[in-house]
């Protein structure tokens, strides 16, 4: 299912997007966001700059640049939060804009050893706590 860029959360950069996540940075071919819902401490999302549905639509050069951005973010997340593992999710069933969910997992944390939940709706932080997390991530980007 291909979505219209006019209705795309990431392309429109609208209120719905900003209610779900906070933009951290713009990298070489993507934008990085911190999820406001923080059940998985440090959870981020990397969205490709252009409206494409899947990795196979990119040239090798574009794909490599995007995956380099994803790797750059996960390295920063690892240094900032020290998770046991970072889970990657690229579903795009209903919103066909190439993006990766990056969910840190901790041994004693939620869903360790299983699939992360898309939006558990359990953990929200103060503006100061979000700012501190973003500063930690930016320090390592």
């Amino acid at each position: 299912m291909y979505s219209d860029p006019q209705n795309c959360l990431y392309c429109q950069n609208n209120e719905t997007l900003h209610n779900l996540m906070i933009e951290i940075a713009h990298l070489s071919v993507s934008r990085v966001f911190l999820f406001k819902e923080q059940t998985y401490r440090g959870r981020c999302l990397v969205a490709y700059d252009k409206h494409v549905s899947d990795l196979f639509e990119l040239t090798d050069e574009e794909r490599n640049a995007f995956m380099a951005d994803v790797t750059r973010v996960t390295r920063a997340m690892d240094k900032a939060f020290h998770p046991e593992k970072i889970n990657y999710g690229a579903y795009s069933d209903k919103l066909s804009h190439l993006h990766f969910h990056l969910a840190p997992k901790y041994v004693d944390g939620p869903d360790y050893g299983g699939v992360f939940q898309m939006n558990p709706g359990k953990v929200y932080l103060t503006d100061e706590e979000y700012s501190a997390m973003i500063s930690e991530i930016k320090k390592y980007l």
Side-chain angles (χ1 to χ4, degrees), residues 34 81 126-138:
L34 179 73
F81 307 115
T126 65
D127 289 343
E128 293 77 20
E129 290 170 316
Y130 290 127
S131 292
M133 290 183 94
I134 289 168
S135 292
E136 275 300 296
I137 294 167
K138 282 184 169 183

Side-chain angles (χ1 to χ4, degrees), residues 6 19 24 36 62 70-71 84 92-93 107 131 133 139:
Q6 296 295 323
N19 285 336
I24 296 173
K36 286 187 177 178
E62 291 167 332
V70 170
T71 301
E84 182 70 22
S92 302
D93 295 352
V107 174
S131 292
M133 290 183 94
K139 182 167 46 172

Side-chain angles (χ1 to χ4, degrees), residues 10-135:
Y10 303 105
C11 293
Q12 294 306 306
N13 199 28
N14 60 23
E15 182 180 353
T16 303
L17 175 72
H18 298 288
N19 285 336
L20 293 171
M21 51 193 98
I22 303 164
E23 189 162 354
I24 296 173
H26 187 267
L27 302 179
S28 67
V29 295
S30 65
R31 295 163 62 200
V32 183
F33 299 89
L34 179 73
F35 259 77
K36 286 187 177 178
E37 204 293 327
Q38 282 290 304
T39 292
Y40 310 101
R41 186 173 176 271
R43 182 175 175 184
C44 292
L45 181 138
V46 179
Y48 191 65
D49 276 344
K50 297 175 187 161
H51 191 77
V52 298
S53 296
D54 208 305
L55 282 171
F56 68 79
E57 295 178 41
L58 303 177
T59 65
D60 289 349
E61 182 179 291
E62 291 167 332
R63 183 204 58 236
N64 292 344
F66 179 63
M67 293 311 293
D69 283 357
V70 170
T71 301
R72 183 175 170 190
V73 174
T74 55
R75 284 182 179 144
M77 292 167 65
D78 185 63
K79 290 176 183 171
F81 307 115
H82 312 290
E84 182 70 22
K85 179 73 174 96
I86 297 174
N87 288 180
Y88 299 72
Y91 307 109
S92 302
D93 295 352
K94 294 183 180 179
L95 175 61
S96 61
H97 184 115
L98 179 60
H99 64 283
F100 271 70
H101 294 265
L102 307 173
K105 301 292 265 317
Y106 304 88
V107 174
D108 295 325
D111 303 311
Y112 185 78
V115 179
F116 67 90
Q117 298 173 56
M118 193 53 65
N119 190 359
K122 297 176 184 175
V123 180
Y124 291 91
L125 309 177
T126 65
D127 289 343
E128 293 77 20
E129 290 170 316
Y130 290 127
S131 292
M133 290 183 94
I134 289 168
S135 292

